[in-house]
Amino acid sequence: MALTEKRNVSSKLNPKRPKIDIESIVEGILGSRKRANDVFDILESLRSAKEKDVISAASACSKLFSTLLERKDLFIGKLPDEDEALNGDYSAEEKYHIFMRHRYNSCVEMLLEYLHHEVHEVKESVLSCLMKFAAAEGQHPLEDMDWSEHYSFPRQLIQLVVDNILSKTTDNSLLISKFQEYLEMEDVRYYVMSSIRVNVSAVMEKNKEVLLHVYQNNVFTLMSSINMPSQESELTNFMVKQEAKLEDWKATKLSVSEVFEIITLLLIDLKCLPVSMYKKVLVILHDAVLPHMIKPTLMIDFLTAAYDVGGAISLLALNGLFVLIHQHNLDYPDFYRKLYNLLEPSVFHAKYRARFFHLVNLFLSSSHLPVYLVAAFAKRLARLALTAPPTALLIVLPFIYNLIRRHPSCRVLIHKPTAEDEALEDPYVMDEEDPVHCCALESSLWEIKTLQKHYHPDVAKAAMLINTPLPVQEDDISEVLEITTHELMERDLKSETKSVPLEFETATELLRGGDVIKQHFSLV
């Protein structure tokens, strides 16, 4: 059968057209080159309006073209124009290879379009098909090169897949979760990150003043799905197996950290990050980004700017700043002043309350901090405790006690002698932003004394500890950092009630006694 240059592959489903057995067609094409034109029937099914037909056709295409790649039945090298191939000086076998290569390219184009389909099952099926093509192309390259000197990997196809996954209009979080299973392979991870870098650079260049929140979310979701290897020795899982030694290839030597660093910097450089994206980046920055960057100090400007924003953004920026201060010698002169001002009533109700107090505890753990600074933090927390919920108070009170244990000079806040004629006015200035001038050392922790009358027994009990000498051993606040109101109520409800023995005499002649009283009044 002569090869046909083109056939009308309609995008509309013809209801009169009989249902085809697509599996038989695939077997027929693979069994005989005379049935090569039947490939158009498969491509027509791929254009169906029914999702089931599309999924079935994608599966058939996967089997067909993967087998053709293995057989080397697709043209290798620079693909000539189809008209030129049919009329040119090519052998029958070469014409067949060129014809099938063009059909393969058409199939890939259609599959890439389906990555934008509204039905997730279709997108997932298409993605699986494309990644099978990538694996087959890696083992049987379609480029005519000396592969003993190059790493055979389908870079172009992976770039196209990434470009379509990073949609500007559709949230592809579900599709990316499917794509994540391929990112466990070392070579796929490397070239996907390279593709993200190219894509983000191109999008930023074209959309300098446009807000692309959906696109930013897709980039972040894809980036956060990448699990970076901790050691080079772990690089053993590859999609494309190479004949040469693994250490000879670029993907194993990894400038992965360089690529990861560039993508991160490009992502945070996108103008006008929405608050939700800002938070997502900061949540993972300290443990999923900074350890894999060659120069973590490049994040200083981003983190200090985030720390100046205030509210939840500042709380989340603390993690990254902690890493830079303790591991990379970041000098931040106003750090404690800003940390002091983050102590507001809203911090007790913040989603990241546990993380915040854990970090504040670390920052105030040094015994070399000046007394006035520690006293300012203790006093501010005590003042905020007056309106804090019980769950927060069970954190704050042990926290203050630990500060006093570390800095015995702060005991003056507990034992504050006063003269009889001294005015009962607190010199502490709550509105003062600078802990140097808030006069904390001239005040006392009378707020804790007040909390001894708190309605919750656990809080009152914790506040009573200030009446006795504090033990040297610090309280472990990690156990109460995550406690919620529900857990606190459940704990109270499950607490055992003690039976109290009572001594009483049973009234046996109550009614008779009433008659006696009645007789008495009648006699009177």
Side-chain angles (χ1 to χ4, degrees):
M1 180 183 288
L3 297 177
T4 305
E5 178 185 346
K6 295 180 182 178
R7 183 186 289 189
N8 181 23
V9 182
S10 175
S11 61
K12 296 181 180 179
L13 183 65
N14 184 358
K16 296 182 181 180
R17 185 175 180 274
K19 187 175 181 180
I20 61 174
D21 184 358
I22 201 164
E23 292 295 332
S24 299
I25 293 176
V26 172
E27 295 297 333
I29 296 171
L30 294 175
S32 173
R33 291 186 177 181
K34 293 181 179 180
R35 297 187 60 182
N37 282 329
D38 290 350
V39 70
F40 287 109
D41 292 329
I42 299 176
L43 296 180
E44 186 173 353
S45 295
L46 196 59
R47 285 289 190 185
S48 173
K50 296 182 179 179
E51 290 80 11
K52 290 183 179 180
D53 291 344
V54 173
I55 294 173
S56 177
S59 177
C61 288
S62 175
K63 180 180 179 180
L64 173 63
F65 291 111
S66 294
T67 305
L68 292 175
L69 279 163
E70 291 175 12
R71 292 180 179 179
K72 299 187 182 300
D73 278 347
L74 299 184
F75 185 82
I76 297 175
K78 185 178 180 182
L79 185 63
D81 184 77
E82 203 162 1
D83 294 331
E84 176 189 343
L86 291 175
N87 301 320
D89 188 18
Y90 291 94
S91 66
E93 184 172 0
E94 286 176 329
K95 288 181 179 180
Y96 174 78
H97 290 171
I98 293 170
F99 172 80
M100 280 302 185
R101 175 74 182 276
H102 276 286
R103 303 291 77 76
Y104 172 70
N105 290 350
S106 299
C107 175
V108 170
E109 289 177 6
M110 285 189 280
L111 292 175
L112 289 170
E113 290 177 8
Y114 275 119
L115 287 176
H116 301 276
H117 199 276
E118 58 185 9
V119 179
H120 174 68
E121 288 73 15
V122 173
K123 294 196 288 187
E124 192 174 274
S125 176
V126 164
L127 179 62
S128 298
C129 182
L130 287 168
M131 294 308 292
K132 286 180 182 178
F133 287 166
E137 278 193 40
Q139 296 296 338
H140 310 282
L142 294 175
E143 297 179 41
D144 189 12
M145 298 178 67
D146 181 5
W147 292 111
S148 63
E149 300 294 332
H150 297 82
Y151 189 86
S152 59
F153 193 87
R155 300 172 181 80
Q156 271 190 325
L157 182 54
I158 291 297
Q159 183 70 60
L160 290 171
V161 170
V162 170
D163 289 346
N164 283 275
I165 287 177
L166 297 179
S167 170
K168 302 180 186 66
T169 56
T170 306
D171 184 356
N172 279 332
S173 299
L174 277 177
L175 185 61
I176 292 171
S177 66
K178 169 65 178 177
F179 191 55
Q180 186 176 5
E181 67 185 58
Y182 302 103
L183 298 176
E184 297 300 321
M185 292 178 276
E186 321 298 345
D187 46 0
V188 176
R189 183 197 304 120
Y190 173 78
Y191 286 107
V192 164
M193 288 196 296
S194 298
S195 300
I196 296 173
R197 179 186 62 182
V198 172
N199 181 273
V200 172
S201 299
V203 170
M204 286 181 62
E205 184 66 27
K206 293 180 181 178
N207 303 274
K208 292 182 178 180
E209 304 298 329
V210 182
L211 302 181
L212 302 172
H213 293 171
V214 174
Y215 172 76
Q216 291 170 350
N217 187 68
N218 285 331
V219 173
F220 174 81
T221 304
L222 182 53
M223 282 289 295
S224 58
S225 299
I226 298 174
N227 296 319
M228 296 290 289
S230 57
Q231 299 177 2
E232 259 189 59
S233 59
E234 297 177 4
L235 305 181
T236 56
N237 182 19
F238 290 85
M239 184 174 76
V240 181
K241 307 298 181 184
Q242 304 294 331
E243 294 181 2
K245 294 181 179 179
L246 291 178
E247 55 266 21
D248 293 337
W249 301 109
K250 183 179 181 182
T252 62
K253 284 188 174 175
L254 264 254
S255 21
V256 167
S257 295
E258 295 179 7
V259 176
F260 192 82
E261 183 175 282
I262 292 170
I263 299 171
T264 303
L265 294 173
L266 286 172
L267 177 63
I268 64 176
D269 193 45
L270 289 170
K271 303 302 180 185
C272 299
L273 276 176
V275 174
S276 58
M277 181 61 62
Y278 224 139
K279 291 180 180 179
K280 288 179 180 179
V281 172
L282 289 170
V283 164
I284 68 167
L285 195 64
H286 67 288
D287 59 353
V289 177
L290 291 178
H292 304 294
M293 294 182 69
I294 298 174
K295 295 181 180 178
T297 50
L298 292 173
M299 301 299 296
I300 289 177
D301 290 341
F302 174 74
L303 286 170
T304 52
Y307 193 45
D308 291 337
V309 171
I313 300 293
S314 294
L315 300 186
L316 294 174
L318 274 176
N319 267 117
L321 285 174
F322 176 76
V323 173
L324 295 179
I325 290 172
H326 282 259
Q327 298 180 16
H328 303 281
N329 300 318
L330 170 65
D331 185 18
Y332 199 130
D334 291 333
F335 177 79
Y336 281 99
R337 176 177 177 176
K338 291 179 179 177
L339 182 63
Y340 175 77
N341 285 286
L342 286 179
L343 294 175
E344 297 177 345
S346 59
V347 78
F348 297 128
H349 308 279
K351 180 180 179 181
Y352 309 101
R353 181 185 68 186
R355 175 185 293 199
F356 173 72
F357 277 101
H358 170 70
L359 289 172
V360 174
N361 187 46
L362 289 176
F363 284 124
L364 296 177
S365 61
S366 174
S367 58
H368 299 290
L369 293 174
V371 177
Y372 75 83
L373 182 66
V374 178
F377 275 90
K379 179 61 181 178
R380 190 173 183 89
L381 284 170
R383 182 62 62 86
L384 292 173
L386 292 175
T387 56
T391 51
L393 291 174
L394 295 178
I395 301 173
V396 169
L397 291 173
F399 194 99
I400 294 173
Y401 297 156
N402 286 345
L403 291 179
I404 296 173
R405 289 186 180 102
R406 294 169 196 164
H407 303 270
S409 300
C410 290
R411 292 181 184 275
V412 68
L413 296 174
I414 302 175
H415 307 290
K416 195 74 172 179
T418 56
E420 293 183 3
D421 57 346
E422 186 176 347
L424 297 177
E425 184 177 348
D426 193 344
Y428 174 69
V429 184
M430 183 70 176
D431 296 332
E432 176 58 53
E433 295 182 356
D434 193 342
V436 178
H437 305 296
C438 68
C439 304
L441 278 173
E442 299 171 20
S443 181
S444 65
L445 297 178
W446 58 265
E447 295 89 350
I448 298 181
K449 191 75 173 177
T450 304
L451 291 174
Q452 293 177 2
K453 303 294 184 181
H454 197 274
Y455 68 88
H456 197 285
D458 290 350
V459 174
K461 182 180 178 181
M464 292 293 289
L465 293 177
I466 205 169
N467 295 339
T468 59
L470 294 175
V472 178
Q473 184 66 33
E474 289 191 10
D475 295 324
D476 183 10
I477 65 170
S478 61
E479 298 178 357
V480 292
L481 285 178
E482 300 283 355
I483 194 169
T484 62
T485 303
H486 177 73
E487 292 172 346
L488 194 61
M489 292 180 65
E490 286 292 319
R491 191 173 70 182
D492 292 341
L493 291 173
K494 291 179 181 178
S495 60
E496 296 182 2
T497 55
K498 296 181 180 180
S499 58
V500 181
L502 299 177
E503 205 174 322
F504 62 93
E505 293 181 3
T506 306
T508 57
E509 299 182 354
L510 181 62
L511 296 177
R512 185 176 178 183
D515 293 338
V516 172
I517 293 173
K518 187 177 179 181
Q519 291 176 6
H520 171 74
F521 278 104
S522 62
L523 291 173
V524 173

